[in-house]
Amino acid sequence: MSIAYLNGSFLPLSEARISPLDRGFLFGDGIYEVIPYYGGKPVGFNLHMQRMADGLASIEIKCDKSIDDWRVLMEELIAKNASLNENLGVYIHVSRGADTKRYHAYPENVEPTIFAFAFAIKDPEPVDRDKVHPYSVCSTEDLRWKHCNIKSTSLLGNVMHYQQGYAAGENEILLFNSKGELTEGSSCNAFIVKDGVVITPIQDNQILPGITRRIILDSLRADGSIPVEERTVTMDEVRNADEVWISSSSKEIAPVTRLDGKAVNDGKVGAVWEAAFRIYTDHKFEY
Ligand code: PMP
């Protein structure tokens, strides 16, 4: 039976439990390592631990274990699981821990969740070109962290950006791609208004296809009094917009009056926002 480590205790892996409010579960808000142990000896232990410490520091998870604490803990885990196999992999996972609510910004005073378990791994391959098992692979464009159209719980990228805005005392943060084109907010879609036209980035892999965004576009188009466009929006256009809005199921359509410390236009909530929010409010239950 596999013995796991969870928050200070060893227990059978099948009995280990964490809260569904754990941010590792809700947001992918955590760091992990896998260390191979051959005949009880680790490969790259210090390097794995340094990478984990770097990862934890970069997302501001405070874990007070030293490298020696980890070494002792892992040796104990390996000893308790020695009956599983001669060679073991150890999976270590430190998440930001379980808060009492679901909120993107990093919570204060939450203890990290520390989880580890061991599993059997294969013997090393023979150092012999005639006997080693080679791999056959295929190839594709690297799209990692670029599937923003999927409402995935892998939200660490969003959470880090939300925290960036929150730490700066802002309510949200607008995001641009490497070409300086508007994508969306860390937890919302984004719109600008210029010369009476409501403009929002096209729905592609760079944004979540927001339900609120869809209802805004469809209800405005059906109403016909305010023109709408789905197209590329540059950073300059955002900075020179007459109005900026953000949208989500919890915010509905929220007017943005300050961006990067400067007023949007005259710093007042715009007339197009009011007209659009009225149309949205009148029709939102029809979808
Ligand atoms: N983009 C992101 C990244 C979001 O997290 C959300 C809210 N879940 C939205 C857009 C808005 O989507 P919706 O209108 O469906 O709430």
Side-chain angles (χ1 to χ4, degrees):
M1 186 193 3
S2 182
I3 299 296
Y5 171 88
L6 181 62
N7 296 331
S9 310
F10 290 96
L11 74 175
L13 177 57
S14 59
E15 291 173 19
R17 300 278 181 276
I18 60 168
S19 163
L21 283 178
D22 195 281
R23 291 177 58 100
F25 177 69
L26 290 179
F27 294 119
D29 187 1
I31 298 291
Y32 81 101
E33 283 292 335
V34 176
I35 308 177
Y37 281 75
Y38 293 104
K41 286 188 299 191
V43 176
F45 182 82
N46 290 333
L47 295 172
H48 280 286
M49 287 299 110
Q50 188 57 52
R51 184 171 64 187
M52 191 165 81
D54 292 346
L56 290 170
S58 67
I59 61 170
E60 297 172 45
I61 292 180
K62 289 166 202 76
C63 173
D64 54 11
K65 286 197 190 312
S66 67
I67 285 202
D68 278 334
D69 294 337
W70 282 113
R71 195 186 317 278
V72 170
L73 193 61
M74 292 308 111
E75 279 169 8
E76 203 170 340
L77 190 69
I78 290 290
K80 287 186 192 301
N81 286 286
S83 61
L84 289 183
N85 200 31
E86 164 77 0
N87 304 318
L88 293 170
V90 170
Y91 174 87
I92 310 171
H93 187 143
V94 180
S95 84
R96 196 178 303 279
D99 197 359
T100 51
K101 57 185 185 301
R102 183 184 178 278
Y103 179 56
H104 282 46
Y106 304 167
E108 306 272 339
N109 307 320
V110 165
E111 285 295 308
T113 298
I114 302 178
F115 169 62
F117 75 101
F119 55 95
I121 57 173
K122 287 190 289 189
D123 289 346
E125 286 286 315
V127 187
D128 183 334
R129 60 198 293 202
D130 296 324
K131 296 204 181 108
V132 67
H133 296 95
Y135 281 70
S136 169
V137 304
C138 60
S139 66
T140 190
E141 182 189 348
D142 187 343
L143 288 173
R144 290 173 296 169
W145 282 38
K146 290 177 194 141
H147 293 286
C148 299
N149 52 315
I150 302 171
K151 200 166 170 62
S152 152
T153 53
S154 302
L155 281 171
L156 182 58
N158 302 60
V159 161
M160 290 174 75
H161 275 312
Y162 188 90
Q163 177 68 19
Q164 199 180 341
Y166 181 81
E170 305 292 356
N171 308 123
E172 247 296 353
I173 185 163
L174 292 185
L175 306 173
F176 294 90
N177 66 18
S178 59
K179 291 194 235 158
E181 297 159 352
L182 177 66
T183 56
E184 59 179 343
S186 70
S187 67
C188 53
N189 292 115
F191 295 75
I192 63 164
V193 178
K194 192 68 186 176
D195 299 329
V197 182
V198 174
I199 310 161
T200 195
I202 54 168
Q203 193 177 299
D204 61 13
N205 68 312
Q206 301 179 91
I207 69 165
L208 186 79
I211 302 302
T212 319
R213 174 187 179 280
R214 185 78 268 144
I215 297 174
I216 294 167
L217 292 175
D218 288 1
S219 62
L220 293 190
R221 281 182 178 133
D223 176 83
S225 62
I226 304 173
V228 297
E229 284 178 12
E230 288 173 84
R231 63 160 172 83
T232 300
V233 178
T234 66
M235 197 179 278
D236 275 354
E237 286 183 297
V238 177
R239 302 215 181 286
N240 295 307
D242 298 336
E243 300 182 24
V244 176
W245 313 337
I246 52 179
S247 74
S248 73
S249 298
S250 52
K251 295 175 192 68
E252 302 211 287
I253 316 175
V256 175
T257 53
R258 288 188 73 77
L259 170 62
D260 292 331
K262 295 195 194 86
V264 172
N265 196 359
D266 60 2
K268 301 211 172 71
V269 174
V272 181
W273 173 83
E274 192 175 296
F277 193 40
R278 180 162 297 115
I279 295 166
Y280 170 88
T281 302
D282 287 348
H283 295 281
K284 67 183 180 184
F285 295 116
E286 294 166 15
Y287 293 87

